[in-house]
């Protein structure tokens, strides 16, 4: 009897896992993807939406044709309840989806309640709606400029996006001819500028400090945000940072359906996994990408999370897919790849400049790591966007 694989989510992890499993078994498996969204979103390019560099439709595509081309059923419904003891998921319409193997690639939800006043007084860019609202706020700001606060709250982990947005904002201010009349501030929970949530990289602090000095940016590190009102970010150490425009990266939480399945998640709703990306509680349930829990191998005075970006997600999904294929073939799930040992590959855009971050491991200890600055990184960021949209739309998941 053909096995059933159910994949929750249709972005990086969902596309890679679903198509990899179907292809590896040469179609001899039933794969269904259940997702609240009908579109794949290239999340890294959301940094450009507020500045008009991209529209959301430029960085999305409909996933149904991609899945159909690979013989995969797509159901545009969100998961409402996970029942791993019964090997089933109930969707938001009440339909029951049974499975032999489950892959959780649902992504996350943003915790806008971590800092009082966040929702009412600041913007963010972690999803299309938020990025569009931030774009509207930016256009309003340009008509009546003032000081800017960009940053990441305590518990946040997407520091790369915060830095990219900061440097792109500086570039846009210069293009608009108002750079000298705006004080640009960066507030972060990182213990030092250039920590990035990965305990830093060689020359990282020096390079970020150099960028800050060149762009005349004031940095506030190793600090929490107490609350945000209509024109000030109030810090936990008593300092106030005034603003006319604020874009803040908040922490993430597991989506509600996953978060409510207490047998498999931690306190923040992320799924506890092994290095095989099987859950610790169930051998036939996997989690990849931002839905998976990652423990920081370091401690910081102010809570600082670990970033989980597209490349690690792709790697995690391939590991999970290989293990599910092995299990279906009657073999043990032995493929392992510890999150911290996944290579660090990131391009940080800065408008017309940027930095490439390369390392043999995401997290320490590392044997090799390097940061490469220069304007070529902006071109590389654009090229990577085009490549990843082409790759995922075509279902070419065996490619890196």
């Amino acid at each position: 009897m053909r096995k059933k694989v159910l994949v929750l989510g249709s972005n990086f992890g969902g596309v890679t896992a679903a198509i990899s499993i179907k292809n590896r078994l040469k179609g001899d498996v039933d794969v269904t993807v259940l997702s609240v969204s009908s579109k794949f979103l290239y999340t890294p390019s959301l940094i450009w939406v507020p500045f008009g560099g991209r529209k959301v439709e430029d960085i999305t595509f409909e996933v149904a044709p991609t899945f159909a081309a690979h013989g995969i059923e797509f159901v545009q419904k969100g998961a409402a309840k996970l029942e791993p003891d019964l090997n089933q998921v109930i969707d938001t319409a009440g339909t029951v989806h049974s499975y032999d193997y489950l892959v959780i690639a649902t992504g996350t939800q943003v915790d806008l309640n971590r800092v009082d006043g966040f929702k009412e007084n600041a913007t963010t860019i972690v999803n299309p709606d938020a990025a569009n609202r931030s774009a509207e706020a930016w256009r309003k700001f340009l008509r009546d400029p003032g000081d800017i606060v960009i940053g990441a709250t305590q518990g946040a982990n997407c520091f790369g996006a915060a830095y990219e947005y900061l440097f792109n904002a500086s570039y846009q201010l210069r293009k608009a001819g108002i750079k000298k009349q705006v004080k640009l501030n960066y507030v972060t929970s990182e213990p030092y500028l250039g920590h990035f949530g990965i305990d830093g990289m060689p020359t990282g602090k020096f390079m970020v400090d150099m960028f800050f000095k060149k762009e005349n940016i004031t940095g506030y590190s190793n600090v929490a945000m107490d609350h945000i009102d209509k024109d000030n970010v109030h810090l936990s150490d008593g300092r106030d940072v005034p603003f006319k425009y604020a874009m803040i990266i908040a922490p993430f939480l597991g989506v509600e359906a996953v978060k409510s399945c207490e047998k498999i998640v931690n306190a923040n709703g992320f799924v506890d996994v092994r290095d095989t990306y099987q859950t610790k509680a169930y051998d036939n349930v996997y989690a990849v990408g931002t839905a998976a829990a990652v423990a920081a191998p370091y401690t910081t005075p102010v809570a600082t999370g670990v970033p989980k970006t597209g490349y690690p997600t792709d790697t995690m999904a391939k590991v999970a897919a290989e293990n599910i294929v092995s299990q279906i073939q009657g073999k043990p799930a032995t493929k392992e790849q510890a999150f911290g040992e996944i290579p660090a590959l990131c391009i940080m855009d800065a408008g017309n400049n940027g930095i490439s971050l390369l390392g043999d491991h995401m997290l320490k200890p590392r044997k090799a790591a390097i940061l490469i600055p220069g304007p070529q990184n902006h071109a590389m960021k654009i090229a990577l966007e085009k490549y990843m949209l082409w790759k995922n739309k075509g279902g070419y998941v065996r490619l890196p």
Side-chain angles (χ1 to χ4, degrees), residues 196-229:
F196 303 128
I198 57 173
D199 206 11
M201 294 187 80
T203 73
K205 184 178 185 303
F206 167 79
M207 203 167 292
V208 170
D209 286 344
M210 180 184 68
F211 265 84
F212 273 51
K213 185 175 182 180
K214 174 180 174 291
E215 298 298 322
N216 197 26
I217 298 168
T218 302
Y220 300 80
S221 60
N222 198 33
V223 68
M225 297 182 191
D226 184 78
H227 65 282
I228 303 172
D229 61 29

Side-chain angles (χ1 to χ4, degrees), residues 264-392:
I264 64 171
V265 298
N266 64 18
N268 289 322
F270 299 121
V271 183
D272 290 316
V273 294
R274 300 168 246 176
D275 290 344
T276 56
Y277 297 100
Q278 292 166 292
T279 60
K280 292 184 177 179
Y282 298 91
D283 288 344
N284 68 329
V285 179
Y286 290 74
V288 301
T290 55
V294 174
Y298 54 78
T299 57
T300 54
V302 180
T304 300
V306 177
K308 294 174 278 187
T309 56
Y311 181 75
T313 294
D314 186 72
T315 301
M316 295 157 79
K318 287 177 177 176
V319 171
E322 183 172 333
N323 282 325
I324 289 172
V325 168
S326 292
Q327 288 176 300
I328 290 174
Q329 294 174 335
K331 296 178 286 189
T334 57
K335 178 68 175 179
E336 294 186 348
Q337 176 69 79
F339 176 86
E341 295 178 3
I342 295 172
L345 302 171
C346 179
I347 301 172
M348 187 179 297
D349 183 62
N352 63 344
N353 210 321
I355 304 172
S356 289
L357 292 83
L358 308 172
D360 62 333
H361 290 164
M362 279 285 293
L363 303 173
K364 293 179 179 178
R366 303 186 188 99
K367 293 182 179 178
I370 187 171
L371 275 70
I372 306 172
Q376 74 280 358
N377 291 298
H378 178 65
M380 289 169 61
K381 183 87 173 183
I382 294 171
L384 182 61
E385 173 200 83
K386 305 305 180 189
Y387 166 75
M388 294 302 292
L389 286 168
W390 168 81
K391 170 193 164 181
N392 283 281

